[in-house]
Amino acid sequence: MTPIIELRDFKKTYKTGEIEVHAVRGVNLTVQAGEFVAVMGASGSGKSTLMNTIGCLDRPTSGAYLLDGVNVGRLQRDQLADLRNQKIGFVFQGFNLLSRTSASENVELPMLYRRPAVPAAEQRRRALESLTKVGLGQRGDHTPNQLSGGQQQRVAIARALVNTPKLLLADEPTGNLDSRTSIEIMGIFQELNRGGMTIVMVTHELDVARYAKRMVVMRDGRIVTDQAVEGMSSAQEELARLDAEQKAVNLAP
Amino acid sequence: MIILASIRLALRALRRNLLRTLLTMLGIIIGVAAVISVVSIGNGAKKQVEAQIATLGQNVILVLSGNVSRGGFSMGFGSAGTLTQPDLEAIRKEVEGVEGASPEVRVFSQLANGNQNANVQVSGVSADYLSIRAWPLKSGNNFTEQDVRGATKVAIIGQTTKKTLFGDSDAVGQSIRIKNAPFTIVGELAAKGMNMMGSDQDDIVLVPFTSALKRLAGGTSFRSISVQAVDAKLVPGVQHDLDDLLRQRHKIQDGRDPDFLIRTQQEISNVATSTSRVLTVLLGSVAGVSLVVGGIGIMNIMLVSVTERTREIGVRLAIGARTRDIMMQFLFEAIALSVIGGIIGIGLGAWISGRLSGVMGSPTVVAANSILIAFGSSALIGIVFGYFPALKAARLDPIEALRFE
């Protein structure tokens, strides 16, 4: 079976004037379909560069990157855009929803750039389906400022899923959320993963990384740890435990 | 991304910041409204001049008598009186395609009916004059060829003069005294209104030119001869033949200036309209400058908008918008700004010219082509001034754009 992500001796060098910055100094990484990978590392470790490359926003300086069997290194700007549109769903730290635009219209956005074009009625149907998947089927008319942070991130996840991508790419998805909402979002990720979705998530919080199946740690542009998560957390159980604790102090009804 | 979706996207983006949208459009609105109203005033003036030229009659060629120079100053055509009755007869007989010809002898003279009197232009003309000028009679009859040959004392009276001398009572059959000679009124002219210069064409009395020469003006020459061609197509030929005939009769060698001047209606109307056209072009180009200024306003706001929405652009790029999609989105926004502004401007311009025509008492004509040009140029302004901001947006690096604060 073709791996979803295959990086071979991937290097990325930026030139700022005379100085060459080696952001990534040779990474080999293979992610199979159905995996849930957390990428960790301090700032400057090269994890952002790695994610940008995996997300087809950038191309390797040297080495090869194959996304679902497609060699990304040779593609032009617009071909990369099409690839992102069809194969990757993005979830950002800052949600990045369009303000003053309803949730369902935000979710429809990736279909706007789908080739061949998706009929308007089909767009609405799929947007609603996607919103229902993240538990917001009734909130399609709400604009982002009428939604809580957790709900906004769910809309963003619905948007990422609407084009049925091969890979869900999340960059610090819980960075702007409180701990309980974070666990809820991780719950959605785990559920999607159980349904077969491949997920790669960047985080700097170890307890968030514990919801993934596999953990990759980067330092100085190289992978230093790549192992299965031992004692993987279950969002469902965590939420149940949290509810019980809150009940004990009468915080929750 | 289909064009319809781009348009919808653009309109939604514009609705989101309505006040800014309206203010940005204002430049285009004012520019287009200015162009439309200036051009419509110009068109109206042109129409008016043309209508007045048409009152001269159909297919008329005017032969003016030569000019006199006194001490180096030209006294103007018609002042010398080089055209004579034999010239008139020759024109009638020898030039092909002539429907009719009438000389004009002008005398300002005191008219009297009993104790009513007036100073009026008396024109000596031939019996063809009324048909040449397409001037119908209100009552009575034209004078005849016999009247002309016999220099009878008959007259046709214009509406204004008739009102001055007779009030509301019937003038036909009455007698008036011109320079103390009694003339019988045989006909009453229909009202014709003002001419190009703004003088009243109805304050006039027509008499046979023979009578005018013999009893009123003295002398034997005419200030002008109006010649009517049978058909509009024959006008150039008749003009040419008239020139040949009169040069021959007046013994003027080739290459020398003639002692007469031939003008067709077309030439007269060209001179009259060229002034108003120059003015229209001048004012129109000033208005055009304001259109360009409006375009720069659009460019300015679009650049601000691109910067403001860098993150949005980043998201769109990340989820698969191609360069062209982003380009189209912002270009359509600029075009929508300028085209909607243009449409409002056209409406405003039409309204302004309507009001102006009321105030100035002259008609304004909002021509279809000026609307099309205004619409087209506002769309063009949208494309030209929207292009650079759209390009700036489309060329953003998705990673940089997503990171933009």
Side-chain angles (χ1 to χ4, degrees):
Chain A
M1 212 175 123
T2 326
I4 298 292
I5 296 170
E6 194 178 356
L7 283 162
R8 272 178 272 163
D9 196 28
F10 159 56
K11 285 179 186 153
K12 185 76 193 179
T13 312
Y14 294 107
K15 273 195 185 125
T16 19
E18 290 291 295
I19 309 150
E20 284 197 345
V21 181
H22 298 277
V24 177
R25 300 162 185 265
V27 160
N28 288 293
L29 181 71
T30 305
V31 177
Q32 300 292 343
E35 284 200 76
F36 184 178
V37 184
V39 178
M40 301 198 66
S43 57
S45 63
K47 66 176 196 301
S48 291
T49 307
L50 180 71
M51 288 300 279
N52 287 338
T53 305
I54 290 175
C56 298
L57 292 165
D58 209 349
R59 280 168 297 195
T61 310
S62 72
Y65 170 42
L66 281 79
L67 173 71
D68 198 27
V70 181
N71 192 341
V72 172
R74 290 200 217 106
L75 299 181
Q76 298 298 308
R77 188 180 159 104
D78 282 350
Q79 292 172 307
L80 285 175
D82 288 352
L83 200 64
R84 290 195 295 269
N85 186 252
Q86 288 158 21
K87 304 216 167 182
I88 302 171
F90 286 92
V91 178
F92 306 96
Q93 178 177 2
F95 321 136
N96 281 338
L97 299 175
L98 300 191
S99 59
R100 278 177 275 190
T101 306
S102 74
S104 57
E105 278 172 329
N106 264 295
V107 176
E108 281 170 26
L109 205 59
M111 289 185 281
L112 196 65
Y113 303 114
R114 185 83 186 187
R115 288 174 172 85
V118 185
E122 173 71 5
Q123 285 193 17
R124 275 190 293 278
R125 194 189 65 74
R126 275 163 65 176
L128 184 65
E129 189 185 274
S130 207
L131 278 170
T132 310
K133 230 182 258 182
V134 296
L136 288 176
Q138 309 297 317
R139 304 284 177 108
D141 303 336
H142 290 53
T143 55
N145 57 356
Q146 295 169 324
L147 296 169
S148 71
Q151 286 169 330
Q152 287 186 50
Q153 193 60 300
R154 284 174 198 228
V155 173
I157 294 170
R159 180 178 67 189
L161 295 175
V162 80
N163 265 348
T164 55
K166 295 273 183 185
L167 174 67
L168 192 65
L169 206 55
D171 188 4
E172 303 270 13
T174 60
N176 287 9
L177 300 173
D178 62 49
S179 56
R180 190 196 158 85
T181 319
S182 297
I183 299 169
E184 283 172 5
I185 295 296
M186 285 303 107
I188 292 172
F189 276 21
Q190 285 188 330
E191 204 181 313
L192 288 170
N193 183 241
R194 269 198 295 280
M197 178 62 70
T198 314
I199 300 171
V200 173
M201 166 178 80
V202 167
T203 180
H204 61 268
E205 288 172 88
L206 199 56
D207 38 333
V208 172
R210 283 192 181 285
Y211 292 96
K213 288 177 182 166
R214 178 182 167 190
M215 198 194 307
V216 172
V217 180
M218 289 195 69
R219 190 184 304 149
D220 296 332
R222 290 191 179 84
I223 291 176
V224 290
T225 313
D226 183 355
Q227 61 188 36
V229 175
E230 285 176 40
M232 192 181 120
S233 313
S234 158
Q236 235 173 330
E237 288 168 19
E238 286 294 311
L239 279 176
R241 192 176 57 77
L242 218 58
D243 282 344
E245 279 174 7
Q246 283 179 342
K247 253 190 197 134
V249 293
N250 292 323
L251 195 65
Chain B
M1 193 165 63
I2 48 175
I3 286 174
L4 211 68
S6 300
I7 293 171
R8 231 184 56 210
L9 208 63
L11 291 180
R12 188 179 306 161
L14 293 179
R15 227 183 14 235
R16 220 165 271 164
N17 211 331
L18 211 55
L19 183 64
R20 183 201 275 185
T21 301
L22 282 174
L23 288 174
T24 311
M25 278 178 188
L26 205 58
I28 295 289
I29 293 174
I30 291 171
V32 169
V35 168
I36 291 278
S37 43
V38 164
V39 171
S40 74
I41 291 165
N43 281 342
K46 200 174 144 219
K47 269 270 163 61
Q48 202 174 18
V49 167
E50 278 167 359
Q52 284 161 349
I53 302 278
T55 64
L56 293 177
Q58 286 278 301
N59 312 325
V60 175
I61 301 161
L62 199 63
V63 184
L64 288 159
S65 216
N67 58 350
V68 179
S69 295
R70 278 186 205 141
F73 291 102
S74 165
M75 303 308 284
F77 280 93
S79 52
T82 54
L83 299 170
T84 57
Q85 197 167 350
D87 286 335
L88 177 70
E89 303 301 331
I91 287 169
R92 278 191 174 145
K93 279 196 199 103
E94 291 173 37
V95 179
E96 265 181 65
V98 171
E99 173 81 27
S102 170
E104 192 172 0
V105 182
R106 281 190 192 174
V107 186
F108 268 91
S109 149
Q110 177 101 21
L111 265 64
N113 168 41
N115 59 356
Q116 299 292 319
N117 61 70
N119 252 318
V120 173
Q121 180 191 313
V122 178
S123 281
V125 296
S126 78
D128 289 342
Y129 187 76
L130 293 187
S131 72
I132 290 172
R133 293 207 56 188
W135 202 341
L137 286 165
K138 195 183 170 204
S139 61
N141 296 300
N142 193 1
F143 49 74
T144 60
E145 282 296 321
Q146 277 85 354
D147 289 326
V148 174
R149 249 174 278 137
T152 6
K153 290 184 276 182
V154 289
I156 301 172
I157 192 164
Q159 277 301 309
T160 307
T161 314
K162 182 243 160 191
K163 286 218 172 70
T164 315
L165 296 180
F166 296 96
D168 289 332
S169 61
D170 198 5
V172 176
Q174 304 274 350
S175 176
I176 48 168
R177 285 142 54 103
I178 308 175
K179 277 197 175 168
N180 287 325
F183 279 71
T184 309
I185 295 172
V186 293
E188 192 181 305
L189 288 164
K192 199 154 189 148
M194 277 190 290
N195 72 0
M196 273 182 285
M197 312 306 175
S199 62
D200 185 0
Q201 299 185 86
D202 295 320
D203 201 7
I204 196 166
V205 169
L206 302 178
V207 297
F209 70 90
T210 44
S211 319
L213 288 176
K214 195 170 158 192
R215 301 178 200 281
L216 307 174
T220 52
S221 66
F222 314 131
R223 73 189 298 275
S224 67
I225 300 175
S226 300
V227 181
Q228 184 174 36
V230 174
D231 190 275
K233 277 179 286 189
L234 295 177
V235 169
V238 170
Q239 183 186 11
H240 184 256
D241 290 353
L242 281 173
D243 190 56
D244 279 355
L245 178 76
L246 291 174
R247 273 175 185 271
Q248 188 196 331
R249 290 184 57 83
H250 294 190
K251 298 188 174 61
I252 292 155
Q253 287 161 347
D254 283 347
R256 302 287 298 265
D257 287 335
D259 58 356
F260 57 88
L261 181 74
I262 302 179
R263 282 278 174 268
T264 62
Q265 238 172 324
Q266 189 56 49
E267 287 165 339
I268 296 168
S269 111
N270 285 351
V271 172
T273 51
S274 70
T275 321
S276 71
R277 198 170 54 230
V278 165
L279 212 64
T280 303
V281 167
L282 200 71
L283 288 172
S285 46
V286 171
V289 168
S290 68
L291 257 182
V292 172
V293 172
I296 293 168
I298 286 185
M299 177 145 109
N300 189 15
I301 285 300
M302 289 309 296
L303 283 171
V304 171
S305 173
V306 167
T307 309
E308 267 183 3
R309 287 151 70 189
T310 300
R311 267 178 95 86
E312 176 194 325
I313 296 163
V315 174
R316 287 178 185 276
L317 287 170
I319 62 176
R322 290 189 186 176
T323 308
R324 196 171 150 269
D325 294 331
I326 302 294
M327 181 92 197
M328 289 302 238
Q329 181 187 344
F330 283 91
L331 202 53
F332 271 110
E333 229 176 280
I335 294 170
L337 267 176
S338 61
V339 165
I340 294 171
I343 291 169
I344 298 173
I346 288 168
L348 187 67
W351 181 78
I352 288 173
S353 52
R355 295 299 299 256
L356 278 180
S357 98
V359 172
M360 304 195 313
S362 65
T364 57
V365 179
V366 182
N369 63 356
S370 69
I371 287 177
L372 280 179
I373 289 168
F375 188 81
S377 56
S378 57
L380 190 72
I381 278 169
I383 294 170
V384 169
F385 290 98
Y387 184 78
F388 176 62
L391 196 68
K392 193 183 161 205
R395 286 200 176 154
L396 282 175
D397 177 53
I399 299 169
E400 296 288 327
L402 279 169
R403 215 179 281 156
F404 186 83
E405 292 299 330

